Amino acid sequence: MMEIVSIDKDGSVVVKMNAREAKEVRDDLGGIPFTLVTPSGDKLHSLLEWATPRRAS
């Protein structure tokens, strides 16, 4: 179950998600045309690709 774990005084947010949620968010971001994704969304997509690598078919 995805949840916000903490919000620091500087505004940093820590989010906890399971592997299925990470894959779904990664896939959602990957389905958006690159020109419509913010730098933050692109970074999150990259982090989630690292955390949930696609398996070879």
Side-chain angles (χ1 to χ4, degrees):
M1 176 171 83
M2 192 179 313
E3 64 181 295
I4 293 177
V5 175
S6 64
I7 302 174
D8 295 339
K9 290 180 183 179
D10 70 357
S12 296
V13 178
V14 176
V15 176
K16 179 178 178 180
M17 65 180 81
N18 64 35
R20 179 187 53 79
E21 292 167 329
K23 179 187 178 306
E24 289 173 353
V25 172
R26 180 201 66 206
D27 291 347
D28 287 348
L29 287 170
I32 299 170
F34 182 77
T35 56
L36 300 177
V37 177
T38 65
S40 296
D42 185 46
K43 177 65 176 180
L44 178 58
H45 182 257
S46 295
L47 290 169
L48 293 174
E49 280 189 322
W50 175 82
T52 58
R54 296 177 190 268
R55 303 212 183 237
S57 321

